[in-house]
């Protein structure tokens, strides 16, 4: 977009305070990820859950001088204000105008699953055919869609946008803003069904997006979808795709055979090799082909493009580097949009120093001088300490870059220069077009080189938190339990992410866990569940909040507090014993407790207890009794105190099973990691942790030969056996050897044979065709799931996670 403030005010009926002629090219809505302030306005979005106005100050601190909001705050100087009646409606109005006055061809994607993947795939196939704009990440909501549309500019010829809904009547509003020429409906599933009366109602709502479309491409496997679209849109061009052969686009041969796949596309047959054969991927591939065909891409080109998709990893990863660096690796494609996304991602970390490795931008049909001017403007605003430019084109423009800049013809030259070896304690962004293979730099910069990794999906954590929040009142606070290194996943990384997403409280078990978080810059209130007696000085020094569970702890802590010279009321948390019989004050102690507290300079910040069996349906009566005791005893204490601290008792399964007892706060743990004991809830959660490795060696063990220590597996026929580099020192219990446990290889289970060794184990892969050395092996994620893996180990998911050894590298991804 590119409007003056005056134009925007005319389009949206807004009021202006300040300079009418300023130009706006971008609108930022998240003050934390502002990566550029040039021609950028910050919009304070008010929704019924949250007000963006509290972030106006931090946007202004970052250098923004145009604010769009419902209220005017006159204390800020030299700021131009666009005052709007309703921030969300403002965005929608502006986006509608902008879209309707653009001249792009548009594709609108809706459906329950696959929207983001299809959008990214289409973009990868099309961006060097036509100048293309797309929704960033999965921006598809009432707010995300308008923000996406506002990215359209005069040079774009094609726009690919996701459209999502979660409630009835939303699609009408979305369609009013955005009416795609080509409509694409992916699979309809049960996600979001919660707010709809029936599947039929959901379908009716989704297909409203196509009211003004010329062409509708849809997954026709679901008979109800097929019927509805044909009835409602009989006058439009309709193309259905799917596995069933009543569709116009389908697979002609069996997808399970290991041969080239043949797609029947209307009257044409298109065949190509595929490597990933899961249903979702293959179904998305049909949709992809159909849209590309509809946009006039030739068959031969489509095949080439599909082949090029294979290596795609659609995400940014942050990896621990050598010399305390953090490496952000984004080496799968490079254009301006993805550069902006990566810069945003970078801004979520607060390392004081940062460096950038950037290559030529390839395949963009633009004047290269203008292109690199824009690139250097963006980069200069970030104030990188070092910039490393790779490629014959970009290095001609090195003078545009204001940081200390080094130039290289190719990646090899940079590696040989050893320049990167000098970098310490920085965040390093690797951003390159694929042909430069800058992932080789990642290999050099990475800390522990290990094929075995524990991958943690931060977006999935956010999804799971939001799912639990959706069950609660919007005023209920949430504490995230990050004790025991955040259940083994990495307490700093998880806490930093949760802090960024405004978690109210963090909970740790011991003082040193809290101290570590404070030292690394976590400022959210932290409660320490089990403050040991020698550690009270550290509690006070690092502003941690202790759990007080007995008179002894109360007195000892108070003594330490007085010694420290602290003279304000110190926040503490009172634990009540209600049936767990672990820690806490009992009924008969409450009177004395209130008397003791009355004479002390302490502030009871919260009163809480813990449920012993909230995940056990048979213990419902017991649990209700615990809840009742808590309600009674906390009310008693509150009356005695004369003020009302926060009350909390529910853990993850408490949130889902006893929602009515949510009190003022809940404490989530395993639930944010995507685990529930309830199978219905489990379906709504996303899996967070993926433990994986690769095959070191494959050998055929002949009849009568044995495998491993003590010869506990003997082959009865020639058997293909693979060795993988994880063992009991990594946290795989020895008891799951001897065909008790399984691991997954391309979605097939393979039993562990023989004894688990310290650093390795062997698996039977005889039944898996085409398996080869170097292939990925899933210890747990989808198949087997964490739960299944825990059942092999005869334990619970909590113990599996906390047992994974620190030597296993943790990688954090955002998809
Ligand atoms: C660990 C813990 C939780 C979280 O339990 P989940 O079952 O993982 O949700 C909540 N409260 C307390 C006191 C805990 O120690």
């Amino acid at each position: 977009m590119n409007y003056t403030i005056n134009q925007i005010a005319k389009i949206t009926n807004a009021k202006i305070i300040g300079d009418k002629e300023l130009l706006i090219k971008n609108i930022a809505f998240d003050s934390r990820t502002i990566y550029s302030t040039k021609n950028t306005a910050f919009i304070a979005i008010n929704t019924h859950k949250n007000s963006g106005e509290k972030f106006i100050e931090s946007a202004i601190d970052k250098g923004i001088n145009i604010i769009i909001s419902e209220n005017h705050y006159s204390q800020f100087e030299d700021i131009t204000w666009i005052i709007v009646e309703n921030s969300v409606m403002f965005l929608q109005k502006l986006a509608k105008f902008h879209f309707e006055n653009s001249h792009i061809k548009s594709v609108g994607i809706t459906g329950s699953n696959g929207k983001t993947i299809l959008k990214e795939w289409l973009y990868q196939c099309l961006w060097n055919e036509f100048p293309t704009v797309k929704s960033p990440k999965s921006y598809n909501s009432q707010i995300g869609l308008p923000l996406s549309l506002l990215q359209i500019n005069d040079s774009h010829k094609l726009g690919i946008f996701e459209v999502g809904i979660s409630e009835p009547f939303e699609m009408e509003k979305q369609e009013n803003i955005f009416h795609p020429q080509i409509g694409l409906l992916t699979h309809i599933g049960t996600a979001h069904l919660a707010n709809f009366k029936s599947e039929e109602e959901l379908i009716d709502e989704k297909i409203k997006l196509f009211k003004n479309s010329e062409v509708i491409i849809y997954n026709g496997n679901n008979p109800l979808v097929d019927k509805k679209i044909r009835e409602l849109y009989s006058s439009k061009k309709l193309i259905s795709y799917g596995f069933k052969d009543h569709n116009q686009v389908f697979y002609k041969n069996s997808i399970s055979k290991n041969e080239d796949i043949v797609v029947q596309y209307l009257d044409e047959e298109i065949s190509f090799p595929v490597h990933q054969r899961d249903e979702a991927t293959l179904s998305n591939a049909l949709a992809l082909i159909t849209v590309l065909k509809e946009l006039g891409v030739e068959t031969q080109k489509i095949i080439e493009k599909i082949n090029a998709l294979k290596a795609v990893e659609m995400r940014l990863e942050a990896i621990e580097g050598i010399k305390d660096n953090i490496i952000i690796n984004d080496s799968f494609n490079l254009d301006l949009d993805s550069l902006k996304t990566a810069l945003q991602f970078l801004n979520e970390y607060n390392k004081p120093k940062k460096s950038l490795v950037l290559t030529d931008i390839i395949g963009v049909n633009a004047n290269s001088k203008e292109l690199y001017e824009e690139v250097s403007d963006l980069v200069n605003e970030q104030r990188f300490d070092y910039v490393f430019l790779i490629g014959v084109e970009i290095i001609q423009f090195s003078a545009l870059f204001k940081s200390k800049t080094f130039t290289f013809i190719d990646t090899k030259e940079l590696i040989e220069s050893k320049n990167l070896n000098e970098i310490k304690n920085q965040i390093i962004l690797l951003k390159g077009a694929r042909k430069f293979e800058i992932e080789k730099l990642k290999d050099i910069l990475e800390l522990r080189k290990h094929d075995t990794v524990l991958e943690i999906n931060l977006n999935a954590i956010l999804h799971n938190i939001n799912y639990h929040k959706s069950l609660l009142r919007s005023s209920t606070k949430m504490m995230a339990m990050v004790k025991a290194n955040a259940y083994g996943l990495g307490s700093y990384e998880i806490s930093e992410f949760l802090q960024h997403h405004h978690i109210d409280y963090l909970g740790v078990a011991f003082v040193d866990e809290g101290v570590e978080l404070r030292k690394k810059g976590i400022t959210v209130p932290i409660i320490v569940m089990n403050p040991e007696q020698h550690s009270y000085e550290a509690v006070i020094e690092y502003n941690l909040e202790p759990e007080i569970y007995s008179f002894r702890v109360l007195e000892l802590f108070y003594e330490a507090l007085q010694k420290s010279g602290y003279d304000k009321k110190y926040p503490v948390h009172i634990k009540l014993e209600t049936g767990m019989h672990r820690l806490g004050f009992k009924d008969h102690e409450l009177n004395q407790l209130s008397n003791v507290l009355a004479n002390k300079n302490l502030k009871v910040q919260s009163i809480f207890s813990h449920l012993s069996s909230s995940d056990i349906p048979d213990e419902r009566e017991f649990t209700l009794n615990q809840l009742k005791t808590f309600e009674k005893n906390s009310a008693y204490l509150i009356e005695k105190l004369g003020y009302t601290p926060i009350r909390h008792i529910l853990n993850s399964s408490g949130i889902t099973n006893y929602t009515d007892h949510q009190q003022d706060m809940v404490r989530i743990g395993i639930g944010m990691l995507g685990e529930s004991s309830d199978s219905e809830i489990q379906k709504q959660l996303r899996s967070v942790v993926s433990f994986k490795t690769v095959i070191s060696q494959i050998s055929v063990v002949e009849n009568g030969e044995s495998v491993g220590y003590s010869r506990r597996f003997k082959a009865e026929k020639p058997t293909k056996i693979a060795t993988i580099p994880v063992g009991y020192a990594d946290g795989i219990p020895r008891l799951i050897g001897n065909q008790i446990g399984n691991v997954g290889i391309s979605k097939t289970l393979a039993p562990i044979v023989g004894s688990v060794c310290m650093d390795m184990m062997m698996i039977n892969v005889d039944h898996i065709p085409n398996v080869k050395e170097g292939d990925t092996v899933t210890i747990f994620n989808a198949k087997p799931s964490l739960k299944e893996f825990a059942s092999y180990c005869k334990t619970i998911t909590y113990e599996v996670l906390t047992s994974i050894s620190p030597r296993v590298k943790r990688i954090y991804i955002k998809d």
Side-chain angles (χ1 to χ4, degrees):
M1 63 183 263
N2 193 352
Y3 296 105
T4 63
I5 293 197
N6 213 10
Q7 286 170 317
I8 289 185
K10 283 220 177 88
I11 297 165
T12 62
N13 277 327
K15 280 211 303 273
I16 309 170
I17 303 174
D19 187 348
K20 290 186 165 53
E21 293 312 316
L22 291 180
L23 207 56
I24 300 185
K25 293 188 178 176
N26 302 298
I27 294 184
F29 74 105
D30 183 339
S31 61
R32 296 158 305 180
T33 57
I34 291 172
Y35 60 90
S36 165
T37 56
K38 200 169 146 198
N39 302 119
T40 301
F42 172 74
I43 183 165
I45 294 182
N46 286 345
T47 62
H48 57 282
K49 282 210 157 154
N50 221 329
S51 167
E53 294 181 12
K54 38 181 196 269
F55 304 112
I56 289 177
E57 185 166 0
S58 83
I60 291 175
D61 281 348
K62 290 211 167 162
I64 293 279
N65 61 3
I66 308 172
I67 302 287
I68 305 167
S69 73
E70 292 171 18
N71 296 296
H72 176 222
Y73 296 84
S74 54
Q75 68 266 41
F76 303 110
E77 282 166 30
D78 299 329
I79 301 294
T80 294
W81 294 80
I82 302 179
I83 303 297
V84 302
E85 206 160 289
N86 176 309
S87 53
V88 176
M89 267 148 67
F90 162 87
L91 262 188
Q92 295 177 340
K93 216 170 195 176
L94 184 62
K96 176 180 167 71
F97 175 90
H98 187 62
F99 171 70
E100 288 176 353
N101 288 280
S102 73
H103 303 283
I104 56 166
K105 196 162 183 111
S106 52
V107 180
I109 310 177
T110 192
S112 312
N113 305 98
K115 292 190 288 292
T116 306
I117 299 237
L118 263 169
K119 178 202 66 193
E120 294 293 334
W121 276 8
L122 279 166
Y123 182 74
Q124 282 182 51
C125 292
L126 290 163
W127 70 289
N128 51 10
E129 300 291 314
F130 320 95
T132 303
V133 52
K134 64 166 168 105
S135 332
K137 304 184 197 167
S138 17
Y139 278 22
N140 61 34
S141 64
Q142 300 280 325
I143 295 163
L145 176 65
L147 287 168
S148 303
L149 294 170
L150 290 171
Q151 297 187 100
I152 304 171
N153 65 37
D154 288 345
S155 69
H156 292 131
K157 294 263 185 315
L158 177 71
I160 310 168
F161 298 101
E162 276 180 54
V163 187
I165 55 165
S166 51
E167 298 171 10
F169 310 111
E170 267 189 295
M171 191 57 95
E172 230 158 285
K173 289 191 217 157
Q174 301 278 59
E175 201 277 338
N176 178 41
I177 307 166
F178 171 56
H179 359 281
Q181 282 158 339
I182 299 179
L184 172 57
L185 177 65
T186 65
H187 156 271
I188 294 259
T190 46
H192 304 304
L193 199 55
N195 294 324
F196 291 84
K197 284 206 273 305
S198 64
E199 186 185 6
E200 185 168 357
E201 193 187 67
L202 179 72
I203 296 170
D204 284 343
E205 188 65 32
K206 293 225 157 157
I207 66 178
K208 282 186 192 152
L209 176 64
F210 311 133
K211 197 164 109 194
N212 290 295
S213 301
E214 290 156 23
V215 186
I216 305 173
I217 296 166
Y218 65 98
N219 187 327
N221 277 355
N222 181 329
L224 197 55
V225 170
D226 195 44
K227 174 166 160 277
K228 291 259 168 195
I229 290 192
R230 283 179 195 289
E231 274 171 15
L232 193 62
Y233 296 126
S234 55
S235 61
K236 297 184 194 288
K237 177 170 176 186
L238 304 178
I239 309 176
S240 69
Y241 69 88
F243 290 108
K244 300 186 183 152
D245 61 9
H246 70 257
N247 290 299
Q248 288 146 286
V249 183
F250 60 95
Y251 288 107
K252 246 193 132 183
N253 55 349
S254 156
I255 54 170
S256 53
K257 288 215 198 97
N258 195 37
E259 56 189 18
D260 279 12
I261 227 154
V262 183
V263 172
Q264 182 75 44
Y265 175 83
L266 309 182
D267 297 330
E268 187 184 344
E269 282 185 9
I270 305 176
S271 90
F272 53 90
V274 292
H275 297 267
Q276 226 176 318
R277 285 172 186 261
D278 60 289
E279 242 181 69
T281 304
L282 288 173
S283 169
N284 287 337
L286 290 177
L288 180 72
I289 292 170
T290 311
V291 178
L292 293 176
K293 273 280 186 188
E294 194 53 39
L295 289 169
V297 182
E298 288 163 22
T299 303
Q300 191 48 41
K301 238 185 188 163
I302 293 179
I303 296 174
E304 283 165 23
K305 286 180 187 287
I306 288 184
N307 277 324
L309 282 180
K310 278 180 312 204
V312 169
E313 298 226 3
M314 212 185 47
R315 60 198 190 188
L316 289 162
E317 47 176 14
I319 308 158
E320 262 180 273
I322 49 171
K323 303 189 178 172
D324 288 326
N325 294 312
I326 295 177
I327 320 297
I328 309 253
N329 175 32
D330 184 6
S331 49
F332 97 79
N333 87 354
L334 173 58
D335 57 30
L336 273 176
D337 286 335
S338 73
L339 178 61
K340 287 177 192 168
T341 311
L343 294 176
Q344 259 178 23
F345 187 77
L346 192 73
N347 274 295
E348 292 180 18
Y349 287 82
N350 40 21
K351 279 248 177 198
K353 295 189 143 210
K354 48 193 175 180
S355 291
L356 169 71
V357 176
L358 185 68
T359 71
D360 283 354
I361 296 185
I362 297 172
V364 175
N365 302 322
N367 172 316
S368 57
K369 182 156 173 290
E370 281 170 21
L371 175 68
Y372 289 106
E373 271 170 6
E374 202 171 334
V375 168
S376 60
D377 278 354
L378 274 174
V379 169
N380 289 338
E381 271 198 82
Q382 312 307 312
R383 301 174 194 280
F384 283 103
D385 292 88
Y386 303 114
V387 169
F388 303 93
L389 301 176
I390 306 179
V392 287
E393 202 175 80
I394 197 166
I395 64 177
Q396 294 170 36
F397 299 95
S398 64
L400 296 173
F401 293 85
K402 294 199 187 122
S403 317
K404 199 162 170 32
T405 302
F406 304 84
T407 59
F408 306 91
I409 304 285
D410 54 22
T411 304
K412 189 160 154 268
E413 198 182 77
L414 171 56
I415 293 173
E416 284 166 1
S417 78
K418 301 211 187 291
N419 272 328
L420 291 175
N421 305 22
E422 323 255 299
I423 300 179
K424 284 192 209 80
N425 198 13
Q426 293 202 13
I427 182 158
I428 308 173
L429 172 62
L430 307 178
K431 189 79 188 95
R434 227 189 292 169
K435 91 163 205 209
F436 286 93
E437 300 185 328
I438 58 171
E439 60 274 10
K440 287 191 181 144
L441 300 175
K442 179 191 99 172
D443 296 342
I444 295 170
L445 293 166
E446 216 173 336
L447 183 59
R448 275 160 289 191
K449 276 219 217 121
H450 224 278
D451 290 330
T452 305
V453 295
L454 193 69
E455 206 175 76
I456 295 129
N457 187 325
L458 296 174
N459 287 107
I461 294 184
L462 187 60
H463 166 91
N464 297 334
I465 286 195
N466 284 338
Y467 173 74
H468 285 87
K469 277 195 175 164
S470 75
L471 306 174
L472 301 167
R473 290 188 302 265
S474 63
S475 58
T476 304
K477 292 182 170 22
M478 188 173 269
M479 176 185 301
M481 300 306 295
V482 293
K483 60 191 184 214
N485 198 25
Y487 293 32
L489 304 185
S491 72
Y492 168 65
E493 288 79 2
I494 307 281
S495 300
E496 153 94 46
F497 179 75
L498 295 173
Q499 167 167 292
H500 182 77
H501 289 282
H502 305 300
I503 197 80
D504 299 293
Y505 254 97
L506 293 170
V508 298
F510 298 108
V511 173
D512 11 344
E513 296 176 332
V515 170
E516 187 199 327
L517 291 179
R518 283 282 183 261
K519 280 189 175 159
K520 290 184 169 168
I522 302 295
T523 54
V524 178
I526 299 175
I527 170 166
V528 181
M529 297 292 165
N530 205 341
E532 298 147 295
Q533 42 182 313
H534 57 269
S535 62
Y536 299 140
E537 287 76 25
V539 166
I540 298 158
E541 184 181 345
Y542 287 93
N543 191 17
L544 305 171
E545 303 179 10
E547 163 180 329
I548 304 286
Y549 53 82
S550 69
F551 289 112
R552 184 181 64 86
V553 171
L554 181 55
E555 292 303 337
L556 285 171
F557 177 71
Y558 198 64
E559 215 172 279
L561 189 66
Q562 284 176 315
K563 268 197 207 140
S564 76
Y566 191 92
D567 60 355
K568 293 194 267 319
K569 283 189 177 287
Y570 201 92
V572 297
H573 300 262
I574 300 293
K575 176 74 159 289
L576 302 183
E577 160 52 38
T578 55
M580 174 94 172
H581 293 109
R582 195 165 64 176
L583 298 174
F585 289 98
K586 303 178 184 63
D587 304 22
H588 67 268
E589 296 174 315
L590 297 180
N591 187 30
Q592 189 192 345
L593 175 62
S594 61
N595 291 336
V596 175
L597 285 169
N599 296 320
K600 293 208 173 356
N601 210 11
L602 296 173
K603 172 164 186 243
V604 178
Q605 188 73 15
S606 85
I607 303 175
F608 73 111
S609 187
H610 192 43
L611 297 175
S612 74
S613 312
S614 59
D615 57 338
I616 314 279
D618 282 353
E619 295 295 354
R620 195 163 179 89
E621 203 182 325
F622 175 84
T623 305
L624 288 171
N625 234 324
Q626 264 200 290
L627 291 163
K628 211 165 96 197
T629 307
F630 178 69
E631 271 148 45
K632 187 171 113 248
N633 290 356
S634 60
Y636 175 85
L637 202 53
I638 287 169
E639 198 190 314
K640 291 276 185 175
L641 285 173
Y643 58 94
T644 310
I646 301 170
R647 274 164 297 179
H648 48 113
I649 184 163
L650 300 185
N651 62 344
S652 304
S653 43
I655 298 172
T656 55
N657 297 341
Y658 299 91
T659 318
D660 289 348
H661 299 266
Q662 60 193 274
Q663 305 282 3
D664 312 307
M665 180 155 80
V666 296
R667 301 187 304 269
I668 193 167
I670 200 83
M672 69 179 169
L673 308 183
E675 293 299 317
S676 171
S677 54
D678 179 314
S679 60
E680 282 309 303
I681 304 288
Q682 184 65 57
K683 284 186 203 149
Q684 307 290 331
L685 301 178
R686 281 182 62 190
S687 138
V688 168
V689 193
S690 169
F691 189 8
K692 52 192 187 179
T693 186
V694 296
I695 295 178
S696 312
Q697 191 175 32
I698 296 181
S699 29
V700 175
V701 176
E702 300 295 343
N703 187 9
E705 290 180 335
S706 63
V707 171
Y709 286 121
S710 319
R711 309 192 62 202
R712 289 167 79 196
F713 175 81
K714 290 190 179 131
E716 285 164 5
K717 59 176 175 65
T719 308
K720 213 164 35 169
I721 298 289
T723 303
I724 58 176
V726 281
Y728 57 79
D730 298 288
I732 311 281
R734 214 169 149 274
L735 70 84
I736 70 166
N738 286 320
Q739 306 175 68
I740 291 172
N742 297 285
V743 296
I745 296 177
S746 52
K747 309 221 164 166
T748 307
L749 289 181
I752 302 170
V753 290
S755 301
V756 174
C757 315
M758 189 183 290
D759 311 303
M760 279 176 267
M761 59 194 192
M762 277 64 89
I763 54 182
N764 188 337
V765 292
D766 210 45
H767 56 302
I768 304 176
N770 302 318
V771 59
K772 50 184 193 318
E773 295 176 357
D775 279 359
T776 299
V777 178
T778 302
I779 317 285
F780 58 76
N781 176 30
K783 195 166 187 182
S785 66
L786 171 55
K787 240 195 213 80
E788 285 161 334
F789 189 82
S791 79
Y792 305 148
C793 306
K794 304 207 167 31
T795 183
I796 51 175
T797 53
Y798 301 73
E799 190 184 352
V800 170
L801 291 176
T802 53
S803 304
I804 297 168
S805 141
R807 84 172 180 191
V808 175
K809 186 171 61 170
R810 271 72 172 164
I811 293 184
Y812 302 90
I813 61 170
K814 300 189 180 187
D815 54 18

